[in-house]
Amino acid sequence: MFTLAGKLKLPFLILIYLTNTFASAEPEDFRYYVCGDSGNYTRNSTYQTNLNTTLSTLHTTNSGFGFFNLSTGQGVDGVHSAALCQGDMDPDLCLTCLNDSIVKLPQVCPNQKEAVGYYGRCLLKYSNVDVIGNMEMEGSRILVNNQNAADTDRFVGALDVLMNKLKADAAAGDSLLKFATGNTTGSDFGNIYGLVQCTPDLSEMQCTDCVEKAHNEYVTSGYRGKIGGTVFKPMCRYSYDVQRFFNGSTMVIPAPPPPQVTPPVLSSPPPLTGMKILGETTRTLYGTL
Ligand SMILES: *[C@@H]1O[C@H](CO)[C@@H](O)[C@H](O)[C@H]1NC(C)=O
Ligand SMILES: *[C@@H]1O[C@H](CO)[C@@H](O)[C@H](O)[C@H]1NC(C)=O
Ligand SMILES: *[C@@H]1O[C@H](CO)[C@@H](O)[C@H](O)[C@H]1NC(C)=O
Ligand SMILES: *[C@@H]1O[C@H](CO)[C@@H](O)[C@H](O)[C@H]1NC(C)=O
Ligand SMILES: *[C@@H]1O[C@H](CO)[C@@H](O)[C@H](O)[C@H]1NC(C)=O
Ligand SMILES: *[C@@H]1O[C@H](CO)[C@@H](O)[C@H](O)[C@H]1NC(C)=O
Ligand SMILES: *[C@@H]1O[C@H](CO)[C@@H](O)[C@H](O)[C@H]1NC(C)=O
């Protein structure tokens, strides 16, 4: 199913973070990263020099909408890097997040030629192969709130309508920003909030493709019906939760019509005990970067 082959050989790897894991998470940890297996560089090599140059200059390349890209060097010593901040992110927080990532990613992937790191609201990747318009980089991370929606079918029905709309809106964005947020009713406890973003170098079709893959990875991992979750990929992000977790303005998506068989009415809404995940993420991003 996930048969992306090509020059980039980041291992296909999904790590799942459940609520329990998160409860003890140190927010300042740089937890979500994938070190590539396409080759290593040695200390003081031209590749390392180019990587250092690229990363220390990347922050000057802001497109104006939180996308950064820079390549340094040629041929086998060429280093290609890009970074993306969440589309509604405050520019200073974006730069702080990027500055932090460019220090930490080479620390956790100390000699790999390619790597991708996710800091919740910003991503950083570099490779020995061009990353612009390139869909081949692998390395997903999934976060999930392990609490189930009481009425899975109704929840997923509303969620999928919302996320399909956001996918289409994000993909239809321009070459500067492919970002969409929205909310809908239809969860057992009120609203569902969604966020979709692609790196803006992707075509509309590539963006759609990436978000669909993210969704498929999520569903095939068994998280259909969970009340919140995020899939980070090197080119896109798919996120939803029953709590609002973004700043951007949202469009309202009407909930789909109720199913023909009326589900049993809940006597009281389920407690929001499992809501730590995106809360933790939010704290990480707002608090410590
Ligand atoms: C690259 O370095 C990592 C350790 O940092 C090592 O595990 C891996 O085997 C190395 N890969 C190659 C191809 O030498
Ligand atoms: C790398 O370069 C630094 C500074 O020139 C030097 O001190 C260090 O010994 C070099 N390391 C290796 C492994 O060559
Ligand atoms: C690249 O940066 C790292 C981390 O700051 C440093 O240890 C290394 O010596 C630098 N290498 C080169 C070739 O500049
Ligand atoms: C979201 O908005 C709040 C309040 O204006 C602000 O403090 C925070 O930095 C914003 N977060 C991001 C990621 O931009
Ligand atoms: C990010 O790092 C650059 C270069 O070190 C620096 O000029 C800039 O002020 C930093 N920005 C933030 C928000 O930390
Ligand atoms: C990447 O950087 C180059 C050089 O600054 C720039 O011309 C190009 O528009 C950037 N690509 C994207 C997709 O932003
Ligand atoms: C849903 O989105 C609409 C439109 O932006 C907004 O007015 C409303 O406050 C949102 N609902 C919630 C609960 O945030």
Side-chain angles (χ1 to χ4, degrees), residues 198-226:
C198 293
T199 59
D201 54 303
L202 299 190
S203 69
E204 182 168 1
M205 191 181 291
Q206 286 175 316
C207 177
T208 303
D209 194 41
C210 187
V211 176
E212 284 174 357
K213 286 197 173 87
H215 175 251
N216 287 343
E217 289 169 24
Y218 190 76
V219 170
T220 57
S221 299
Y223 299 113
R224 183 178 175 277
K226 301 295 182 190

Side-chain angles (χ1 to χ4, degrees), residues 44-45 48-49 52:
N44 292 352
S45 60
Q48 190 185 37
T49 304
N52 286 8

Side-chain angles (χ1 to χ4, degrees), residues 6-179:
K7 290 173 283 182
L8 291 169
K9 295 200 194 79
L10 282 181
F12 181 75
L13 183 55
I14 300 179
L15 278 204
I16 311 299
Y17 294 91
L18 301 177
T19 310
N20 297 351
T21 320
F22 246 84
S24 61
E26 305 235 341
E28 62 270 25
D29 279 0
F30 185 68
R31 295 168 61 89
Y32 318 110
Y33 58 86
V34 181
C35 305
D37 63 358
S38 73
N40 292 340
Y41 60 82
T42 51
R43 278 184 63 187
N44 292 352
S45 60
T46 307
Y47 194 89
Q48 190 185 37
T49 304
N50 287 340
L51 180 61
N52 286 8
T53 304
T54 304
L55 293 183
S56 62
T57 316
L58 187 61
H59 72 276
T60 64
T61 67
N62 194 344
S63 66
F65 292 85
F67 183 67
F68 305 77
N69 92 90
L70 185 65
S71 295
T72 306
Q74 308 268 314
V76 293
D77 290 321
V79 175
H80 308 271
S81 177
L84 179 70
C85 287
Q86 186 174 305
D88 58 353
M89 200 167 179
D90 174 86
D92 283 342
L93 288 182
C94 172
L95 268 185
T96 305
C97 193
L98 175 56
N99 280 2
D100 210 32
S101 302
I102 65 175
V103 173
K104 290 194 164 137
L105 188 55
Q107 283 172 357
V108 295
C109 300
N111 53 7
Q112 285 85 358
K113 286 187 174 177
E114 57 189 27
V116 56
Y118 308 102
Y119 230 136
R121 285 184 168 82
C122 75
L123 90 80
L124 169 68
K125 58 186 175 181
Y126 53 79
S127 174
N128 55 335
V129 177
D130 198 359
V131 295
I132 294 300
N134 191 330
M135 287 283 286
E136 290 168 354
M137 190 181 253
E138 294 281 357
S140 303
R141 285 288 182 267
I142 298 181
L143 285 76
V144 64
N145 185 321
N146 213 23
Q147 188 179 348
N148 291 305
D151 182 344
T152 301
D153 288 342
R154 178 162 162 258
F155 185 88
V156 172
L159 175 66
D160 285 351
V161 170
L162 171 66
M163 297 307 281
N164 280 331
K165 177 80 171 88
L166 297 179
K167 174 184 70 181
D169 280 11
D174 60 21
S175 62
L176 291 172
L177 189 65
K178 288 187 165 58
F179 175 68

